[in-house]
């Protein structure tokens, strides 16, 4: 049986491995933020303002997540998100800090920044998760405004969809996408956030992985943080982001941890896996980062002191 000392030794060895098989980070205690998809670039800019001013990773990920939430042209997050099959925009979000505190909202309507409601749940209630009408009532009582989220563009897309009303998962950016954002601050603390309008034309009431702590996002300040995007049902089934963090704890680099989680999805149901996208990104305690996904097409944005760049993720089905 492995002793705690063996385990710590293994973890320490693991911490050296990322340099070989992951993106090494430029310097210890140098902040970094990583987020999903192209819109991560703009999100990172806001997050970086916080990190570069020696701010807290938690504030950085919230600031970053709010960018696509507030952008009416992003059709997969917040304002302008594509609706469910009943024409309702329903949002999911969660946030987690360096102390393991977390907050989450699911199936909320009429609020542009569910990530900030999730943070309020974390900071102002004894609970982790509020859903639906209860979450909305809590938000309005805490100063969030009720707003219309269905933009003319999203309404038009929904009306087009209604003509055939076929529900088929689409692999990359066309029909879904979540912003998952993780950051390491100058104090060496990690936080993460995740926010989405979920799969377009989902059943009314459907909740994906994004607001589920451990599935859509997870932070363990001793080890690392991870976020997910793609078909949430498959991410929930393997408790994806918790798995990625635990794989890093076992000594895997962030990229390998993401790859092993993706492989688990692919091996459990190979036929299904061919038709969907799932992507994970991760950062470890020393700021090394990586990502992996099922299908070509997932990219992620990384901002550190050398700048902000978009990177294509490695993928399983080559
Ligand atoms: N993971 C999100 C969900 O299943 C959607 C996405 O990232 O595309 O709701």
């Amino acid at each position: 049986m492995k002793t705690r000392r063996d385990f710590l030794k293994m973890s320490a060895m693991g911490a050296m491995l990322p340099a070989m098989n992951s993106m090494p980070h430029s310097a210890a205690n140098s902040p970094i933020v990583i987020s999903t998809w192209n819109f991560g670039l703009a999100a990172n800019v806001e997050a970086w303002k916080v990190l570069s001013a020696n701010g807290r990773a938690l504030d950085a990920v919230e600031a970053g997540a709010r960018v696509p939430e507030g952008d009416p042209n992003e059709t997969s997050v917040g304002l302008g998100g594509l609706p469910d099959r009943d024409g309702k925009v329903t949002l999911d979000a969660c946030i987690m800090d360096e102390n393991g505190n977390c907050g989450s909202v699911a199936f909320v309507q009429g609020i542009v920044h569910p990530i900030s409601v999730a943070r309020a749940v974390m900071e102002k209630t004894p609970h982790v998760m509020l859903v639906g009408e209860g979450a909305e009532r809590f938000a309005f009582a805490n100063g969030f405004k009720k707003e219309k989220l269905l933009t003319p563009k999203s309404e038009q897309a929904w009306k087009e969809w209604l003509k055939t009303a076929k529900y088929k998962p689409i692999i990359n950016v066309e029909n879904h996408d979540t912003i998952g954002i993780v950051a390491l601050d100058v104090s060496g603390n990690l936080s993460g956030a995740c926010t989405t309008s979920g799969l377009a034309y989902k059943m009314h009431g459907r909740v994906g992985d994004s607001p589920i702590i451990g599935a859509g996002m997870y932070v363990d300040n001793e080890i690392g943080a991870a976020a997910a995007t793609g078909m949430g049902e498959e991410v929930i089934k393997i408790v994806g982001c918790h798995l990625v963090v635990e794989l890093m704890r076992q000594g895997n680099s962030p990229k390998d941890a993401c790859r092993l989680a993706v492989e688990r999805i692919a091996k459990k149901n190979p036929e299904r896996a061919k038709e969907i996208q799932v992507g994970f990104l991760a950062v470890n305690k020393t700021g090394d980062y990586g990502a992996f996904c099922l299908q070509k097409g997932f990219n992620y944005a990384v901002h550190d002191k050398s700048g902000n760049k978009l990177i294509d993720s490695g993928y399983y089905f080559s």
Side-chain angles (χ1 to χ4, degrees), residues 16 71 87 90 101 114 131 177 186 195 197 220-221 264 275:
M16 293 180 328
D71 184 344
T90 73
N101 298 311
V131 306
D177 286 335
V186 74
T195 179
S197 51
D220 183 325
N221 204 42
R264 193 169 296 187
E275 294 179 349

Side-chain angles (χ1 to χ4, degrees), residues 37 76 92 171-172 175-179 194 196-200 202 206-211 216 228-233 235 277:
W37 304 106
S76 56
D92 301 334
I171 284 172
N172 281 312
N175 237 8
H176 56 92
D177 286 335
T178 295
I179 181 141
C194 188
T196 190
S197 51
L199 300 182
K202 60 195 175 186
R206 180 263 188 190
V207 169
D209 60 317
S210 307
T229 183
M231 183 58 66
E233 282 73 4
V235 177
Q277 176 66 297

Side-chain angles (χ1 to χ4, degrees), residues 34-192:
I34 299 142
S35 57
T36 52
W37 304 106
N38 299 12
F39 51 34
L41 284 171
N44 284 359
V45 168
E46 287 308 303
W48 187 253
K49 285 182 190 162
V50 176
L51 294 174
S52 59
N54 299 340
R56 189 176 169 202
L58 182 71
D59 295 325
V61 295
E62 183 190 10
R66 286 174 61 97
V67 175
E69 279 186 341
D71 184 344
N73 294 315
E74 294 299 352
T75 56
S76 56
V77 180
L79 179 65
L82 288 168
D84 63 17
R85 55 187 69 178
D86 296 355
K88 309 268 189 238
V89 181
T90 73
L91 306 177
D92 301 334
C94 75
I95 194 159
M96 191 160 188
D97 76 7
E98 71 277 17
N99 300 312
N101 298 311
C102 48
S104 156
V105 291
F107 190 53
V108 289
Q109 299 180 56
I111 296 164
V112 174
H113 293 297
I115 198 65
S116 297
V117 186
R119 182 167 178 174
V121 171
M122 172 173 92
E123 292 178 340
K124 297 182 179 174
T125 80
H127 306 307
V128 166
M129 190 165 193
L130 291 178
V131 306
E133 199 236 319
E136 290 157 24
R137 217 191 296 159
F138 165 77
F140 300 141
N142 280 277
F144 290 84
K145 277 207 300 275
K146 189 171 175 70
E147 285 174 68
K148 183 169 185 244
L149 301 185
L150 190 65
T151 55
K153 185 179 161 194
S154 289
E155 189 168 8
Q156 187 52 37
W158 170 61
K159 286 188 173 147
E160 268 308 304
W161 177 81
L162 279 179
K163 289 181 187 159
T164 53
K166 281 214 182 78
Y167 187 71
K168 187 179 180 303
I170 294 181
I171 284 172
N172 281 312
V173 283
E174 300 84 355
N175 237 8
H176 56 92
D177 286 335
T178 295
I179 181 141
I181 177 165
V182 293
L184 176 71
D185 64 27
V186 74
S187 309
N189 285 323
L190 293 158
S191 289

Side-chain angles (χ1 to χ4, degrees), residues 213-218 223 226 234-250 252 254 256-265 268 280 282:
I213 298 293
M217 191 276 297
Y218 194 67
I223 304 296
E234 304 309 311
V235 177
I236 292 172
K237 287 175 197 166
I238 63 155
V239 198
C241 288
H242 184 261
L243 176 62
V244 170
V245 171
E246 291 306 301
L247 288 164
M248 290 195 285
R249 192 191 306 277
Q250 290 165 19
N252 293 288
D256 279 346
C258 293
R259 181 179 52 77
L260 290 165
V262 164
E263 283 174 8
R264 193 169 296 187
I265 291 174
K268 267 186 195 286
F280 293 105

